Amino acid sequence: EVQLQASGGGLVQAGGSLRLSCRASGLVFDDYAIAWYRQAPGREREGVAAISGDGSTHYTDAVKGRFTISRDNARNTVYLQMSSLIPEDTAVYYCAAGPDGAFTTALARGLKPFFDNWGQGTQVTVSS
């Protein structure tokens, strides 16, 4: 069973930084694409960033230049380094995983949610 554990959220002032972690188990980590999504109150879940098994990355326009997704395959962990945070980044952040061609599918669908495996979410609050 694939399990994803997201952590690292918190309260930060605008302009600050946070690093989220997503630790995975129950899968061959190198073969999986991992993506971060977020959902603010009253809004649909939206894609933030994705990374393929071999390290290719993709970002939604709203976070380009501010967020960086990376992975440590030895630790079965994907990170989302978030900098220059703004109040509009406030949301619950989820990580998701999919095997094989999930990264290509994620790009083709504009990062709209489709992954089968999801973590429990971590709250990020950015104060103005």
Side-chain angles (χ1 to χ4, degrees):
E1 178 188 5
V2 175
Q3 293 188 334
L4 302 170
Q5 180 71 39
S7 62
L11 173 63
V12 63
Q13 288 188 333
S17 300
L18 279 175
R19 189 179 78 160
L20 305 184
S21 300
C22 175
R23 193 172 191 288
S25 60
L27 73 170
V28 179
F29 189 71
D30 300 26
D31 293 341
Y32 273 67
I34 308 292
W36 284 98
Y37 288 80
R38 64 187 181 186
Q39 188 165 18
R43 301 191 65 176
E44 292 186 352
R45 191 170 296 189
E46 63 172 354
V48 175
I51 187 166
S52 68
D54 63 2
S56 298
T57 59
H58 179 75
Y59 300 89
T60 192
D61 287 345
V63 307
K64 281 181 181 176
R66 301 189 298 121
F67 291 10
T68 302
I69 189 170
S70 63
R71 65 191 296 154
D72 184 340
N73 288 346
R75 290 183 167 82
N76 279 21
T77 301
V78 166
Y79 303 100
L80 185 68
Q81 178 67 48
M82 306 185 294
S83 303
S84 301
L85 285 161
I86 60 178
E88 290 76 13
D89 294 320
T90 295
V92 178
Y93 282 70
Y94 300 89
C95 56
D100 300 323
F103 181 76
T104 301
T105 302
L107 266 61
R109 298 190 181 194
L111 285 181
K112 289 184 178 179
F114 75 96
F115 288 89
D116 291 332
N117 306 291
W118 292 84
Q120 85 290 0
T122 184
Q123 175 70 47
V124 172
T125 303
V126 184
S127 63
S128 57

